[in-house]
Amino acid sequence: MKSSIQSYTLNNGHMHILTSDHVYTYFPKHYHETYSMAMLYDGAKDFKLNNAQHILDNSNMATMNPCDIHYGNSVTDDGWKQLVIFFDEHAIKSFTEENQIKNKHFNFETMVSNDFQYRQDILTFCKSAINAESNLEVDHAYEQIIGRILAKEKHLSAEHKLNNCAGVKRSISLMHEVPDAKHRLNDLAKTANMSKFHYIRSFKDETGMTPHAYLNALRVERARKLLFSSPENLSDIAFDCGFADQAHLTRAYKKIYGMTPGSIIRK
C-alpha cells in the first residue's frame, strides 16, 4: 500500500498539523522558519537538535524554535512514524494579545520535553482538530493547543479561570435561538464578551461541556423532537438542525442515544 501524508490547516494557515503513515528512516540537516513540535507514534529515532543528541520515541516530544537545525536517523531498521505541528509567531501573538498576556518573546525552553502528560494533551487536541466535524470543533482544538503550550512554557497560568456566568448564558441563548447556524468560537466568545480561550474554560465550568459538545447535544435534541413530530426525511431534518449531512446526524445521535435515528419506527 502506498504511504500518504495528510496536512491539516488551522487558524487561516497559522498552524499546520502534519501526519502520515510513511515510515521514515533518516532525514538530513534542515530547519523550519516556524515553531514546530514532533511526536513519534511508532518507532524511535536518534535525534540531533542544535548539536545536542536525544532519543525520540513515543514517550517524549521534540520542541523546536524557528531556525533550529535538526537531523536524525532511526535507531532500528523499522524506522518511525510521526505527527508534527507547525505554528508561526502570529499564532502566539494573537493569542497573547486577546488574552491580555504580557507579550514577551516566546521560545521553547527545552529541546525535548519528557513530560508525558503534556505530550498526551497536545496529541489529544491535535486528534480533535483532525477528526473535527465542524469549524467550532476545530477552533476549540486550536485554542487548546496554543493555551497548553503557553501554560507549559509559563506564559500562562494553567489554573487561571475567568468566571462570567452571564456571558456564557448569553452565548447559550444564541445557540438555542439559531441551533442550525454555523457558529464559530470567535462569535460565541464575543457574545460572552470574553477571549476565546477563557470562554472555553468558563463554558465548561458553567455547563460541564465544551461549546461544541453542548451545541451538538442541542442539535440532537432538536432532531429527536422532529423525528416524532415532522414528516421530513432524515436528510432534511439533519440540515434543519445544523448538521452537515445525514451521516453527521447519525453519528451524533448514536453517540448520545446508543442507536441510529434511522432505527426509530416513525408512526
Side-chain angles (χ1 to χ4, degrees), residues 47-99:
F47 178 69
K48 298 177 181 66
L49 174 60
N50 292 338
N51 293 320
Q53 187 170 2
H54 308 271
I55 296 296
L56 206 61
D57 55 26
N58 63 3
S59 68
N60 54 17
M61 175 170 60
T63 53
M64 293 160 280
N65 294 307
C67 298
D68 278 351
I69 297 173
H70 54 286
Y71 61 104
N73 55 270
S74 178
V75 298
T76 69
D77 294 335
D78 297 327
W80 74 86
K81 296 179 182 179
Q82 64 185 17
L83 180 148
V84 184
I85 309 168
F86 303 94
F87 60 95
D88 60 21
E89 182 66 32
H90 180 274
I92 297 294
K93 185 177 180 181
S94 61
F95 186 97
T96 54
E97 287 179 351
E98 182 179 350
N99 290 281

Side-chain angles (χ1 to χ4, degrees), residues 23 32 101 119 178 189 210 219 226 230 260:
V23 177
H32 307 290
I101 301 168
R119 178 190 188 278
V178 280
T210 65
R219 287 170 170 171
L226 287 174
S230 170
T260 66

